[in-house]
Amino acid sequence: MTLPEYQRHCHWMEQAIALAQAAGDAGEVPVGAIVVGPDGTAIAAAENRRERDSDPTAHAEILALRKAGNILQTWHLNQCTLYVTLEPCPMCAGALVLARLGLLVYGADDPKAGAVRSVLNIPDSACSNHCLPVIGGILESSCRQQLQSWFAQRRFRQL
């Protein structure tokens, strides 16, 4: 990866981290996602909304994909990049494959439910009909620290 590519990925991940912060402040698990189009501009952005929407599918990735599809008027997102602060779960990884996403860039690995590299590898599995390029670990420390701090605060409040 070239320095300009890395800097671009860091720029968009910082935007996703800001969205994740807003989710955390609203009582949601702090995960943010941004879809960037082929021209390099943001098409859609979302944060986790499961609690606020009472919707088990309201993960940041799913919401961002839905918005991007509506804006582009297609479910084929093969020229788009999704930036997300946490490795996608099985539901989200499946949606990324089904959307024919052009590139996934994520921050922190999810050792409990990660379905891209950590626990499962849905994009590279036999059930995948799309080769999804993946870059993990962009601003990983910041993404991981944000999640760990949020969960630590929740545990402290429960004591």
Side-chain angles (χ1 to χ4, degrees):
M1 177 180 336
T2 66
L3 181 59
E5 288 173 323
Y6 178 74
Q7 290 171 331
R8 184 177 68 248
H9 295 322
C10 287
H11 166 78
W12 290 116
M13 191 60 71
E14 287 169 354
Q15 306 303 309
I17 289 169
L19 289 165
Q21 184 63 47
D25 292 347
E28 304 280 352
V29 174
V31 177
I34 298 178
V35 176
V36 175
D39 64 351
T41 61
I43 295 173
E47 61 196 48
N48 271 358
R49 295 193 54 90
R50 291 189 323 165
E51 299 297 330
R52 290 174 282 179
D53 294 351
S54 299
D55 180 355
T57 69
H59 289 202
E61 301 97 316
I62 298 294
L63 298 174
L65 290 175
R66 285 179 185 158
K67 288 179 185 178
N70 284 332
I71 289 167
L72 296 174
Q73 291 296 293
T74 182
W75 59 270
H76 292 271
L77 302 180
N78 56 312
Q79 294 187 1
C80 297
T81 300
L82 177 81
Y83 292 87
V84 62
T85 56
L86 181 64
E87 178 184 5
C89 71
M91 174 184 69
C92 294
L96 298 175
V97 168
L98 292 173
R100 311 292 195 269
L101 187 69
L103 175 65
L104 167 65
V105 179
Y106 72 88
D109 288 336
D110 184 348
K112 292 184 179 181
V116 175
R117 296 289 182 260
S118 298
V119 179
L120 298 173
N121 188 337
I122 289 176
D124 292 339
S125 74
C127 69
S128 178
N129 59 355
H130 170 66
C131 180
L132 174 61
V134 176
I135 299 172
I138 299 294
L139 299 183
E140 179 179 9
S141 177
S142 297
C143 294
R144 184 176 47 254
Q145 182 59 44
Q146 184 180 49
L147 285 157
Q148 288 175 340
S149 295
W150 186 84
F151 279 108
Q153 289 174 352
R154 304 262 312 176
R155 282 190 293 277
F156 179 76
R157 285 187 208 143
Q158 292 175 351
L159 294 179

